[in-house]
Amino acid sequence: MRAIVASVILLSLIGCNRLRPVPLTEAAAGNYDVRGPIGLSIESVRNGKVRMSGMMGRMGESKEVVFTIQTRFKLLDTSVPVKQFALQRDGTMLGGGSLKLKDETGREFKAVGGFGFDAVKGRRSDTAILTAENLEATDQLTFESVADAQGDLILEVPANYQLQQPDGTFLQPKEPGTFRFRIPQEMWSALPPTTEAGRDSWATIGPVSVAVESVRVGKVMLVPWKPGEKPTTAESKSEVFAITIRVKLADLKAHIKKPPYIVDGSFGGSQAKLHNAQGENFPAFTDFQWDRVIGRQNGDVELSAKQPELVELLTFDAKAATSEELFLTFWPYWQERNADGTWSDAKHEGEFRFRIPKVMWAK
């Protein structure tokens, strides 16, 4: 009889363990899920196109919408150095190995890392050694779009750290465990911060502020390319959707080097995007051959206390004027001067996003 009772109790305990939900850490900046001596937190998430860096320093964004997760590792026990490997690598269709992302229905979203020769800006590709002097390391994870996900998301990240041994080598613990997070739907489904276009209506990221000063539809003035002749001005052949923006330093102690958001010519391109509320994109208009657009930023410009601002003309397909409202977006593309005089890419999160109502151009 005792044996039967013991068996029933044992089966009951096993059943309870199977039904017991796996503990999840709520995704939030500074909220760490701890495994061994390190913790992992999810600082931010975003469903949209991701900033990319390509060959020869070319900047851009992904062709497809992806789900981006900004993570931070932190060494919480500084008694032993830890080797923390990168979680994903670009240039391979394998994506993120054993990373798992699911919604409440159990649907799984694949990790993605195959972006050709481009790499996700902010992705860590090297191994980090976490010590008392170097406590933290960040990384970015990318998955396929979660636009149609149901409910909250569950993220699982296998702990892939190694502990330093007395002889200096690093070994993985027998049971490193898995980081598990719940990502609330409102964290990734909310619209990004948007600034209303207008003079003195500023959006600020890091040390830089931007405002959309004016919008119009029509031809723009050019300086035709005529080698050996005195420079003249002329009107463009085509009408464009022209947006004038003002860029200024929000912090006069900063010193930045800003490239143009739009470059003309066959080797040009645009770092600015214009679309309407329905998602229809209107490409940048750059077909001015060798002519120079008056008002266009030409080459890199340094902003400092001596020259704290500039005005830049952006031109897009004139079909944009058929929309009721438009959204102008661009990443924080610039370099910041370091104390030793060297330059480094801006590492600020977010993007400039402006809503432009039709009343600004249909007057």
Side-chain angles (χ1 to χ4, degrees):
M1 183 67 178
R2 290 181 179 178
I4 295 175
V5 172
S7 298
V8 171
I9 294 174
L10 179 60
L11 289 173
S12 299
L13 289 174
I14 293 173
C16 290
N17 287 334
R18 286 178 178 175
L19 295 174
R20 185 179 300 165
V22 177
L24 297 172
T25 299
E26 195 79 2
N31 198 18
Y32 289 93
D33 189 11
V34 180
R35 294 291 177 269
I38 64 173
L40 176 65
S41 71
I42 294 178
E43 298 205 320
S44 63
V45 298
R46 181 178 184 273
N47 199 59
K49 295 186 177 182
V50 65
R51 185 164 32 154
M52 308 293 295
S53 59
M55 299 178 66
M56 301 178 67
R58 179 176 56 85
M59 304 296 291
E61 65 179 15
S62 60
K63 294 181 180 179
E64 304 296 333
V65 170
V66 297
F67 185 63
T68 306
I69 303 175
Q70 179 70 30
T71 66
R72 182 178 297 274
F73 285 98
K74 186 172 183 179
L75 183 63
L76 302 175
D77 179 358
T78 59
S79 62
V80 178
V82 168
K83 179 184 289 187
Q84 173 59 54
F85 297 93
L87 299 175
Q88 276 184 292
R89 292 186 182 276
D90 292 314
T92 170
M93 296 306 296
L94 296 178
S98 53
L99 297 171
K100 292 183 180 180
L101 182 69
K102 297 181 180 181
D103 68 8
E104 290 184 354
T105 68
R107 176 186 173 186
E108 188 167 347
F109 299 88
K110 295 180 180 178
V112 293
F115 297 100
F117 293 104
D118 295 340
V120 173
K121 186 73 174 176
R123 176 98 82 207
R124 181 165 59 87
S125 59
D126 57 339
T127 299
I129 305 297
L130 303 182
T131 65
E133 294 73 30
N134 182 38
L135 289 173
E136 300 178 340
T138 60
D139 208 347
Q140 280 199 10
L141 311 180
T142 48
F143 295 82
E144 59 185 335
S145 174
V146 298
D148 56 351
Q150 301 298 309
D152 299 336
L153 297 171
I154 305 300
L155 173 69
E156 294 187 0
V157 180
N160 63 346
Y161 65 90
Q162 293 182 350
L163 302 175
Q164 189 175 46
Q165 306 302 304
D167 62 357
T169 60
F170 287 87
L171 292 177
Q172 182 173 306
K174 291 183 178 180
E175 296 182 1
T178 300
F179 300 101
R180 294 182 174 89
F181 294 92
R182 185 180 77 89
I183 306 176
Q185 187 177 39
E186 58 268 20
M187 189 175 180
W188 54 266
S189 61
L191 290 175
T194 303
T195 302
E196 287 293 309
R199 190 181 296 271
D200 294 327
S201 183
W202 299 94
T204 301
I205 296 179
V208 175
S209 293
V210 180
V212 174
E213 293 206 322
S214 63
V215 182
R216 70 180 184 87
V217 182
K219 298 182 177 181
V220 294
M221 297 303 296
L222 310 170
V223 176
W225 187 68
K226 295 180 179 179
E229 298 184 20
K230 184 178 180 180
T232 59
T233 60
E235 206 173 45
S236 63
K237 296 180 181 179
S238 303
E239 289 194 342
V240 298
F241 191 87
I243 303 174
T244 299
I245 66 171
R246 184 176 295 272
V247 182
K248 72 175 184 179
L249 288 180
D251 180 3
L252 292 179
K253 295 179 181 179
H255 190 165
I256 74 163
K257 184 189 296 182
K258 178 192 170 301
Y261 281 119
I262 291 181
V263 178
D264 291 315
S266 57
F267 295 102
S270 174
Q271 305 297 349
K273 309 296 177 183
L274 187 68
H275 63 89
N276 59 24
Q278 291 71 45
E280 182 180 5
N281 291 302
F282 302 97
F285 192 96
T286 61
D287 189 19
F288 299 105
Q289 305 302 322
W290 293 98
D291 298 343
R292 179 172 62 84
V293 180
I294 297 176
R296 179 88 84 215
Q297 180 184 332
N298 292 293
D300 293 349
V301 173
E302 292 186 28
L303 296 183
S304 64
K306 294 181 179 179
Q307 182 186 343
E309 63 181 55
L310 61 83
V311 174
E312 185 174 2
L313 179 65
L314 311 178
T315 52
F316 297 89
D317 190 326
K319 292 180 181 179
T322 61
S323 301
E324 293 301 315
E325 63 178 354
L326 292 164
F327 294 89
L328 174 69
T329 62
F330 41 88
W331 301 98
Y333 286 114
W334 62 75
Q335 290 187 317
E336 298 182 12
R337 189 171 185 176
N338 303 312
D340 61 0
T342 59
W343 297 89
S344 58
D345 292 338
K347 298 179 180 179
H348 309 288
E349 293 297 317
E351 64 181 342
F352 294 101
R353 188 174 192 267
F354 295 92
R355 175 185 173 273
I356 307 175
K358 191 169 186 175
V359 67
M360 286 194 72
W361 72 85
K363 299 178 181 178

